Amino acid sequence: METTTLHGAEVTLRPAAAADVPALAAIRAKPEVYARWRGDADLAAEIAGYLDDPDVRMLVIERDGRTVGAIQWGAETDPDYSHANIDLYLDPAAHGRGLGTDAVRTLARHLVTDHGFHRLVIDPAADNAAAIRCYTKVGFRPVGIMRSYERGADGTWHDGLLMDLLADELTD
């Protein structure tokens, strides 16, 4: 469980708690978010499960004290393959304002500086141009297409884009 509150230029990332589950489930249920994240029939139970998962560190993304999304990270613990992964979702009402970029940059800086990771990965859907632009602004670079990587809401398989960031590539 992540215990540190992080402050970006526009957002605050704070550890998620049980009291955050209803707001996060409401965001995840919005059609634009659900199309990318989907989830179990009970989104609240799924999100609550992340709070108890020792392999997932979930943070609430806040702007001006209002919950606008969540960002989470995990780590590969084998020292020969050490890296961290990031994933996030934002309320569609917060899209297009640079909040996702700020959240990713803030967490990436924390993972590099405070946790010592030399490499971070993120894996947006290959057709998610907005997410790819966001991650590129932070310094992530495309590594390659992961073919038929995830099942879409329509039941068919869709490609993902593996992107990575080395510590010295993190942009301000």
Side-chain angles (χ1 to χ4, degrees):
M1 175 183 213
E2 181 69 48
T3 59
T4 305
T5 296
L6 307 171
H7 301 280
E10 297 287 330
V11 300
T12 299
L13 310 179
R14 64 167 177 77
D20 298 308
V21 170
L24 295 175
I27 293 169
R28 284 272 305 272
K30 292 187 177 185
E32 300 94 320
V33 179
Y34 191 81
R36 298 287 183 189
W37 272 72
R38 295 190 16 238
D40 296 336
D42 187 348
L43 290 174
E46 181 181 336
I47 293 165
Y50 286 130
L51 298 177
D52 297 324
D53 185 337
D55 295 327
V56 176
R57 287 97 172 167
M58 186 167 49
L59 299 154
V60 172
I61 303 170
E62 289 185 337
R63 174 136 194 251
D64 298 328
R66 189 176 136 258
T67 297
V68 296
I71 190 166
Q72 61 193 40
W73 69 276
E76 170 57 58
T77 57
D78 182 326
D80 292 337
Y81 298 92
S82 178
H83 68 276
N85 58 69
I86 299 174
D87 213 348
L88 76 149
Y89 55 90
L90 279 178
D91 187 325
H95 287 179
R97 298 181 183 167
L99 303 182
T101 301
D102 189 34
V104 172
R105 181 177 288 120
T106 301
L107 181 56
R109 187 174 298 115
H110 171 66
L111 294 173
V112 167
T113 303
D114 300 328
H115 289 276
F117 287 104
H118 77 286
R119 180 173 176 263
L120 309 176
V121 299
I122 200 159
D123 59 354
D127 67 349
N128 191 342
I132 294 165
R133 273 192 311 276
C134 167
Y135 308 149
T136 300
K137 289 176 188 175
V138 177
F140 282 87
R141 296 180 184 182
V143 174
I145 296 292
M146 298 180 292
R147 299 176 304 148
S148 296
Y149 178 63
E150 63 185 352
R151 191 183 315 267
D154 62 359
T156 63
W157 290 98
H158 300 268
D159 294 344
L161 176 64
L162 178 61
M163 301 179 79
D164 73 1
L165 168 89
L166 301 181
D168 63 352
E169 297 169 343
L170 180 60
T171 64
D172 286 330

